[in-house]
Every structure is written in C-alpha cells, then in structure tokens.
Amino acid sequence: MKSLPSLLPLALLVSSLLASSIICPAQQPAPPAKAKRAPNPAMDPIQDVAGLPRVLLIGDSISIGYTVATRKLLAGKANVHRIPTNGGPTKNGVANIAKWLGTGTWDVIHFNWGIHDLKYMPDGKRQVEPADYEANLRSLVATLKATGAKLIWATTTPIPAGDLNPPRRFGQVPEYNAIAAKVMAENGVATDDLNAHITPQLATMQNPRDVHYTGAGSEYLAKKVAEAISEALAK
C-alpha cells in the first residue's frame, strides 16, 4: 500500500483539473445557436414615391402572402403599404384600426377579416361568433369609410376539409362571407372575390392540409388584388 505522501501529487493534479473546469467555463463547448427567422419582406416599411396614390392592405397571413407580389405589380402606379402585423380576427381590428390607419391619407384600402374569426377555440366557440363578426365589421367599415378612401372588401379564401396542419378546426367560410357580403352591400363597398378566384386552383395552389398558399398561389391572388386596386384608382 502506498503511503499518504506518495498520493499527494495525484490528489493535487485532480484538484487542479476540477478547479480549471469550474473557473474556466469558456473552455466548455457552447450550445448551438438557434437559427433566426429571416424578416418577412411584406412587413418592410414603404417609402412613398411622391405623386403616387397610397394604398393600404389589411388582412391576415393570406394577405401577408400576396403583399410583396402586389407591390411589384403596382410598382410605379401606387405606394402599397400594409398593416405591420397579422390582422387576426375582427375584434383585433376594432382594437387596432386607428393605429393602423395612422394620420396619413389613404386613396384605397383593401381589407379582409374572417379566417381567424371562424376558428374554434378550446371552449368550443368560434373566436368571433357570427353576430359579433357582423357587429365588428360594421364598426370597422364605418371607421374605414371615414378616411375618405375607396374601400375594397376581399372575401375570405377557402379552408380545406379534414385534419389540418397545424391542427385547427374552423367554422364555415360561406357563412361568414355571406355576413360580410350583406354588410358591404349595405355600405356600398366594392368586393374583390378572392374566394371565387382561387377556388378552381386549390388543388395546385393551396398547401396540403393548410389554409395557406404556395408561392404561385400567392402570386395568383396578388394579380386579382392588383387588378381590383387598379380599377378603384381609375374611378
């Protein structure tokens, strides 16, 4: 058996190694950095070109998808802005519309709410039930009309049947579009029927089991949006 003095150098070496691992954490491998999501160019602020009309897009992620393509189609014809976020349900619109409109002048406002309103929540109710959806739309249209801008309502686009990815359950799009149609007709608001426009192309332009669209689908919607805005500007 070794004597205690002969074991001291080994003990000191072990203590030194342990101390260095505690005192110098920088020597430990760093955890992998999380990849940052690239900013969405649809949210880029727009610098107005003097002399061109100002257009505002209001809507959810479907409108985010067609924003950039719409800007390109109307380049040199209009300054195409959008609200700096996902518009969500109508109750979110009512709470934020004054901020989104700002203090500037708008020539055309192209707007939609719907997909988020008719989404079922954990309590079994839709996020905004039909009666509240109508009341909120009436409030929003009154606010938008007060701007003096030409208004264009975009119908809510289709939602595929069956299990969706991510898992979500929605109410009926036709029911909510019918409510919106009544409100817009009573207020003399023009309609851009994106629902009818994209429906024949769903098999090839809508992502599988999803409410969103492929790049080609968003560009297809953008062409219709740009046409509706161009028609409004020409009047």
Side-chain angles (χ1 to χ4, degrees):
M1 180 176 180
K2 293 183 180 180
S3 63
L4 182 59
S6 65
L7 292 174
L8 284 176
L10 179 60
L12 290 173
L13 176 61
V14 171
S15 298
S16 176
L17 291 173
L18 289 173
S20 65
S21 65
I22 297 172
I23 297 172
C24 305
Q27 295 179 359
Q28 303 301 314
K34 292 183 179 179
K36 291 184 178 180
R37 180 179 295 180
N40 192 323
M43 301 302 180
D44 289 346
I46 299 303
Q47 186 67 41
D48 283 336
V49 176
L52 294 183
R54 301 181 77 238
V55 174
L56 179 62
L57 302 180
I58 300 176
D60 52 35
S61 54
I62 304 301
S63 76
I64 293 173
Y66 59 66
T67 292
V68 172
T70 301
R71 284 178 181 154
K72 290 179 180 178
L73 290 168
L74 293 175
K77 300 178 182 178
N79 298 303
V80 181
H81 298 252
R82 72 158 289 110
I83 58 173
T85 187
N86 184 318
T90 50
K91 62 182 180 181
N92 190 42
V94 171
N96 292 283
I97 192 63
K99 177 177 64 176
W100 292 341
L101 291 173
T103 58
T105 299
W106 299 106
D107 296 282
V108 174
I109 300 175
H110 185 282
F111 64 105
N112 166 268
W113 286 275
I115 283 181
H116 286 263
D117 293 86
L118 52 84
K119 182 172 67 174
Y120 279 98
M121 307 305 287
D123 62 3
K125 295 181 179 180
R126 285 170 286 196
Q127 185 161 204
V128 178
E129 290 289 349
D132 292 328
Y133 179 67
E134 180 174 345
N136 290 346
L137 274 184
R138 291 188 182 281
S139 173
L140 288 161
V141 168
T143 300
L144 294 174
K145 287 179 72 173
T147 66
K150 295 175 181 177
L151 304 183
I152 305 171
W153 165 254
T155 57
T156 297
T157 51
I159 295 172
D163 295 331
L164 302 185
N165 185 20
R168 288 177 290 186
R169 190 164 65 94
F170 294 92
Q172 292 297 311
V173 171
E175 178 185 5
Y176 280 66
N177 273 340
I179 292 170
K182 179 176 68 172
V183 173
M184 301 310 152
E186 292 176 3
N187 284 275
V189 176
T191 294
D192 182 10
D193 197 351
L194 295 183
N195 184 293
H197 179 66
I198 195 67
T199 293
Q201 313 299 329
L202 292 179
T204 57
M205 291 187 173
Q206 191 173 49
N207 293 327
R209 299 171 54 216
D210 192 3
V211 302
H212 301 99
Y213 295 90
T214 63
S218 290
E219 290 182 1
Y220 187 73
L221 288 170
K223 290 179 181 178
K224 185 73 167 61
V225 173
E227 288 173 3
I229 293 170
S230 295
E231 289 176 7
L233 290 173
K235 293 180 179 178

